Amino acid sequence: MLLSTTIRDVFGISLQICLACASAWAVAQVPPPAPAAVAAPVGADAREYVLGPGDIVRISVFQNPDLTTEGRVSETGALTFPLIGSIPLGGLTVSAAEALIAERLRTGGFVLQPQVTVLPVQIRGNQVAVLGHVNKPGRYPLDTFNVRVTDMLANAGGIATGGDDVIVLVGTRDGQPIRQELDLPALFQRGDGDANMMLSPGDVIFVRRADVFYIYGEVQKPGAFRLERNMTVMQALATGGGPTLRGTVRGLRIHRRGADGKVAVIEPTLEDRLRPDDIIYVKESLF
């Protein structure tokens, strides 16, 4: 009787061991979860900065200081990182670049749970040129993707004295060249935010010289002056300080160059509007 009980106990223990081994084998056959997909170059937030050729970035991995790297994104968009070699970062957002490097470290078996940080140190790949009559012309980084024309003009110190209120934006959208004129006073008067265009890498903002008129003869301040919008002859005379004691507003003359290049001499009224490059001559009074 005692022998039968012992045999049953041994058989039961053996059966439990077999079941445990079978369960462990079944779990081992389940494939491991696929690594998380790398984020797309343009993330959910379109305002996030996109890395470009020439950018210098600092890459660090949490609790792995020996992997900290600072390098430049090449013209092909690649950057060399320890252990994983060349990695394409150009065209990726910062978060997408972090996810890609972490995925390469994890799948390569170098770091089990990598926490990667990518910090742009110098932004050179995505820039906008601001030229012409601005206080600080030059190339400026496009550090986010919600920068508008007026933001970039502010970075350039604003429009300089003698600059026009209508600026020109030249660039590329969807592979097609564009040229857009932006009337700043009208923009702020209407409050039209859509007219204040978003900038893209490679855009060029040009501020041309404002239109001028000339006045000479018997005026207090002869010379060249900015032509304001809808400016009349009377307003132009006031800008020049008005006639001298010897001058007269009778018999004013305007020398105006036509589309054919020929100069015509006209006798205006005080309410006539001036045109760019008009030359006003104030005669001397005979009495």
Side-chain angles (χ1 to χ4, degrees), residues 18 25 38 41 73 88 164 170 183-184 188 207 219 223 233 246 257:
C18 291
W25 179 84
V38 177
V73 181
D164 197 3
V170 178
D183 189 333
L184 292 181
F188 289 108
V207 180
V219 288
V233 174
R246 299 171 56 185
R257 187 178 300 276

Side-chain angles (χ1 to χ4, degrees), residues 17-46:
I17 294 174
C18 291
L19 291 175
C21 292
S23 299
W25 179 84
V27 171
Q29 302 308 306
V30 177
V38 177
V42 178
D45 189 353

Side-chain angles (χ1 to χ4, degrees), residues 196-240:
N196 192 8
M197 296 179 60
M198 291 276 193
L199 295 175
S200 295
D203 282 352
V204 177
I205 298 174
F206 177 70
V207 180
R208 60 194 174 193
R209 179 181 68 89
D211 292 328
V212 297
F213 71 93
Y214 305 87
I215 185 170
Y216 74 107
E218 294 298 330
V219 288
Q220 302 287 346
K221 296 185 298 183
F225 299 92
R226 178 188 176 97
L227 179 64
E228 303 295 342
R229 300 188 183 198
N230 302 321
M231 195 173 200
T232 64
V233 174
M234 182 180 294
Q235 291 171 330
L237 286 171
T239 302

